[in-house]
Amino acid sequence: MTLLKAEGITKSFRTGDIDTLVLKGVNLVLEPGEMVALSGPSGSGKSTLLNILGLLMQPSDGALSFMDKPMSGLTDKQLSAIRNTHYGFVFQFHHLLPDFTAMENVAFPAAAPAGGISAEIRDRAKMLLGRVDLTDRIDFAAMRLSGGQKQRVAIARALMNKPELVLADEPTGSLDRENSARVMALLREINHEDRTSFLISTHDPEIAKCCDRQINVVDGRIA
Amino acid sequence: MLFALRVAFRYLTANRVQSGLLIGGVALSVIVFVFMTALIRGLALFLTVQTTGQIAHVEMEPPRRIAEVMGPDARFAAQPISTFQRQQIRNWQLMVDQAEQLDHVVAVVPEVNGNGFLVRGTAVAPIALQGIDPSQIDAIIPLSKSIIDGSADLSTGGLLIGAELAEDLGLRAGVPVILRSDRGIERLIPVTGIFRIGLSNVDRRVAYLSIAVARPLLALPNGVTSVSIKLDDPALAPLIAEQLKRQLPLKVTAWQEKNRNLETALESQGRTGNFIQAFALIAIMISIASALLLTSVRRRGEIGIMRSFGISRGFVASVFVFQGVIIGLAGSLIGSALGYRLCLFLSEGITGPDGGPLLPIAPAEGGYVLVIVLTVVGSAISAILPAQAAARLDPVEAIQQ
């Protein structure tokens, strides 16, 4: 089974009368358990590609399949359900919900569809926070955590629903060197232990080196 | 849904100042609603009590019969003339007994009524004569309480007249006056008492006397001209009147039929109140909608991130609708409680010059259940627009911002 397959993906944005072609026929395959770096300079189309692969944006053209199932023609509700159960997201800025605790933030993706934080959800959220070394911050409000801690909470949240694929957009972009290294080590560990696939968008060669393989995006194409 | 409620509650408690102001605004509008409702209903109640306290709630009269005075051949008459025959209820005791059997009837008063004049020297004043049983003097109008000179005891064969009539003729209690009935019968009768009930047409026009004295004056030895009925609840008058109409061959009239102007005035007042209530409700809805729209803009990033990890549009929308419902419920409960306290204070705490309440407000009639239901429903409806705006957010755009 192929985890993710993109064929001839194009994406253009219209500003006034001008069409800007950002992706120009991208082909890409991701296998289960792979940790892949998506690298390239700023403006190369990495983030747009990541959004399309993460089902957050529709391509202008091309075909996308996830776990061998075509993703075209699905409703917003169906796409949301797939994102919730099979995907995890980590962004450059943690984007935690500031009015909730670390545990609640981690539990959120499972609690919302379930209608509440059950004992099972709570236990898993606590286990994940322990895994990212934040056991002592479980009941801390998200806004009281440091930058590195917030990003680790975001990683734990991405893993809450045991996703097959985690998409990370510059996950260390807002962190210092020490925290960057810690986060990458954590992602690698999760990849090894859980066989969770990672697609990490980065322009940092050091981060790219940590991955199994590297895909370069240059001017909207895979180089 | 429960988790959406929890998220909504957390959002509201996270920004206590804004939520507090919002709930305070709703509560203020609810206070206006409660105050206006209690005032309008209190005023209606006051006017109704004032009116019904001084009139019969149901009146029974003989059916109208038109007597032909001229013959059928009108060729020899300038005009065909009709007039009403002298009308009376002959078997009135039977009617009184039957009326007394009905629920809610507290008094049944047979009356002998007619017209006449009071003559004092050269001064002559037209009067409406009402002959009643002296023991039932307060059954329809609380006359005893309204006496300002003399007494209300009609058993001595005297006359009770209104203060304005007494002033017109220069009369006071104990002074005799000539009473001339519309049957041309005259008698010198002493004024037993002078009353002031506050209704000019009664204080200037009506004279009460014992039914025994009235009978010979009005040439009605046996029958009565009407039977007045007092009820424990004036609102039931049309119902009781209908019941009596079915049972008795009489013309039966409820007080509402004779006071159409009051009913029209109360209806107009009620409509004015409805407008004010509607405006208060619109103010509530606009304040909630605008505040939640601002919240949805401020929380764009959070909504975007929720949508990215697969939280449905329905969940996001329900968080905002729940916020509206919580604000509406809290505001309406607080506003209702404060509104009730305010109405209670105005009704009992501040008195006018006469010792009565300054405002005819009815604290129990504030429409509390109505305002709570309307506010909660209105708040939920006003939250729909911001909820839709939040649910439609493009997660990519929201996260990038």
Side-chain angles (χ1 to χ4, degrees):
Chain A
M1 181 192 72
T2 302
L3 183 66
L4 189 70
K5 188 176 182 184
E7 289 175 293
I9 297 288
T10 65
K11 182 68 182 177
S12 61
F13 294 99
R14 176 173 277 263
T15 311
D17 293 336
I18 303 164
D19 269 332
T20 308
L21 197 57
V22 177
L23 296 177
K24 300 164 183 171
V26 172
N27 297 311
L28 180 151
V29 172
L30 202 65
E31 299 298 339
E34 266 195 308
M35 187 164 182
V36 176
L38 195 63
S39 58
S42 293
S44 59
K46 297 192 302 288
S47 293
T48 303
L49 180 58
L50 206 68
N51 287 333
I52 288 171
L53 298 177
L55 311 179
L56 291 169
M57 192 184 274
Q58 291 292 326
S60 303
D61 201 4
L64 180 70
S65 62
F66 180 72
M67 295 170 79
D68 295 335
K69 287 177 188 157
M71 292 291 108
S72 59
L74 296 182
T75 63
D76 179 78
K77 199 173 179 179
Q78 289 168 319
L79 291 171
S80 292
I82 293 170
R83 284 202 304 271
N84 184 252
T85 49
H86 299 292
Y87 278 74
F89 290 89
V90 180
F91 297 95
Q92 180 176 357
F93 300 101
H94 53 85
H95 285 303
L96 295 184
L97 307 175
D99 302 315
F100 292 81
T101 64
M103 191 278 291
E104 288 168 333
N105 264 282
V106 175
F108 209 109
I117 302 178
S118 62
E120 191 186 343
I121 291 172
R122 188 185 305 272
D123 289 346
R124 177 159 175 79
K126 283 181 179 174
M127 183 275 288
L128 287 168
L129 281 168
R131 198 168 178 186
V132 297
D133 203 17
L134 287 171
T135 306
D136 58 339
R137 295 288 186 271
I138 282 172
D139 292 322
F140 267 51
M143 62 178 78
R144 289 177 58 204
L145 300 171
S146 69
Q149 288 170 337
K150 283 174 183 167
Q151 197 61 312
R152 280 185 280 152
V153 172
I155 291 166
R157 179 176 65 186
L159 299 172
M160 183 65 205
N161 285 339
K162 301 177 185 169
E164 278 78 18
L165 173 64
V166 173
L167 300 176
D169 189 4
E170 305 280 1
T172 59
S174 63
L175 302 178
D176 57 29
R177 185 165 290 277
E178 188 188 336
N179 272 309
S180 292
R182 197 171 178 182
V183 163
M184 279 314 295
L186 185 62
L187 296 183
R188 192 77 248 192
E189 181 191 312
I190 293 161
N191 170 249
H192 279 308
E193 288 179 8
D194 299 357
R195 301 298 297 154
T196 303
S197 301
F198 281 86
L199 183 61
I200 302 169
S201 161
T202 182
H203 60 263
D204 183 345
E206 293 299 315
I207 301 295
K209 272 185 206 167
C210 296
C211 299
D212 298 331
R213 64 184 170 104
Q214 193 174 335
I215 298 171
N216 280 310
V217 181
V218 179
D219 195 22
R221 288 192 177 89
I222 303 290
Chain B
M1 276 299 152
L2 271 180
F3 192 63
L5 183 63
R6 182 172 167 176
V7 173
F9 193 73
R10 186 67 61 83
Y11 275 179
L12 290 173
T13 51
N15 201 337
R16 289 181 188 184
V17 175
Q18 185 195 305
S19 303
L21 285 172
L22 203 51
I23 290 170
V26 173
L28 201 64
S29 298
V30 169
I31 289 172
V32 171
F33 186 104
V34 166
F35 172 75
M36 286 310 301
T37 308
L39 182 64
I40 285 165
R41 291 190 186 167
L43 196 58
L45 211 63
F46 174 78
L47 290 174
T48 307
V49 167
Q50 284 288 307
T51 306
T52 57
Q54 292 167 349
I55 57 171
H57 297 156
V58 179
E59 209 164 292
M60 298 196 294
E61 294 165 297
R64 282 195 163 179
R65 286 182 299 123
I66 295 173
E68 293 284 338
V69 175
M70 299 297 292
D73 188 351
R75 280 177 303 169
F76 305 107
Q79 281 288 319
I81 300 167
S82 303
T83 187
F84 294 109
Q85 271 190 349
R86 187 77 192 276
Q87 291 166 6
Q88 58 178 303
I89 306 170
R90 291 184 194 281
N91 51 346
W92 58 272
Q93 193 56 57
L94 194 71
M95 315 287 180
V96 168
D97 290 346
Q98 251 180 293
E100 279 175 340
Q101 302 301 313
L102 296 178
D103 288 339
H104 303 288
V105 170
V106 291
V108 182
V109 180
E111 295 174 2
V112 171
N113 301 331
N115 294 309
F117 297 93
L118 280 187
V119 182
R120 190 167 189 236
T122 55
V124 179
I127 54 164
L129 276 171
Q130 290 203 3
I132 54 173
D133 187 326
S135 66
Q136 290 185 305
I137 187 74
D138 291 320
I140 304 297
I141 301 178
L143 274 175
S144 300
K145 288 182 189 167
S146 311
I147 294 293
I148 56 171
D149 186 17
S151 83
D153 184 10
L154 289 179
S155 61
T156 56
L159 195 64
L160 290 183
I161 59 170
E164 291 183 33
L165 182 60
E167 280 169 25
D168 289 348
L169 297 177
L171 289 169
R172 57 181 194 280
V175 175
V177 64
I178 296 169
L179 173 56
R180 184 186 301 146
S181 78
D182 56 4
R183 297 282 141 181
I185 303 165
E186 261 185 27
R187 186 170 288 182
L188 189 67
I189 295 184
V191 174
T192 304
I194 294 169
F195 60 82
R196 188 191 293 279
I197 64 165
L199 293 174
S200 186
N201 60 338
V202 177
D203 289 344
R204 187 179 293 279
R205 279 274 292 149
V206 181
Y208 291 92
L209 68 171
S210 154
I211 196 164
V213 178
R215 282 194 183 285
L217 274 167
L218 297 170
L220 268 175
N222 299 311
V224 297
T225 52
S226 67
V227 176
S228 293
I229 297 171
K230 204 79 171 177
L231 306 175
D232 57 6
D233 182 0
L236 295 174
L239 202 73
I240 301 288
E242 269 311 306
Q243 253 180 300
L244 286 167
K245 265 185 212 172
R246 282 197 298 270
Q247 292 176 8
L248 303 171
L250 296 175
K251 182 187 172 207
V252 186
T253 318
W255 69 270
Q256 287 92 336
E257 286 181 57
K258 291 190 170 181
N259 292 272
R260 291 264 184 235
N261 286 348
L262 175 70
E263 208 172 352
T264 309
L266 292 180
E267 277 170 9
S268 304
Q269 188 183 281
R271 276 195 293 273
T272 310
N274 290 344
F275 273 114
I276 295 170
Q277 289 164 343
F279 284 132
L281 201 65
I282 289 168
I284 290 170
M285 290 177 73
I286 289 174
S287 64
I288 290 177
S290 57
L292 288 182
L293 267 175
L294 279 177
T295 305
S296 75
V297 171
R298 215 181 62 230
R299 293 195 183 269
R300 280 174 72 92
E302 291 174 51
I303 295 164
I305 202 73
M306 281 186 209
R307 296 279 296 125
S308 77
F309 53 68
I311 303 303
S312 67
R313 289 183 198 273
F315 180 88
V316 172
S318 60
V319 167
F320 280 83
V321 171
F322 277 135
Q323 285 186 75
V325 169
I326 294 169
I327 291 166
L329 188 63
S332 60
L333 288 174
I334 294 169
S336 293
L338 292 178
Y340 177 72
R341 296 293 306 169
L342 175 72
C343 293
L344 210 60
F345 173 69
L346 291 173
S347 119
E348 293 173 4
I350 302 178
T351 51
D354 61 346
L358 191 66
L359 292 172
I361 205 160
E365 298 288 327
Y368 302 100
V369 175
L370 178 73
V371 73
I372 290 169
V373 171
L374 283 179
T375 306
V376 172
V377 172
S379 303
I381 291 169
S382 62
I384 287 173
L385 187 69
Q388 282 180 333
R392 281 187 193 142
L393 271 179
D394 176 6
V396 174
E397 264 182 46
I399 293 166
Q400 281 169 351
Q401 284 175 5

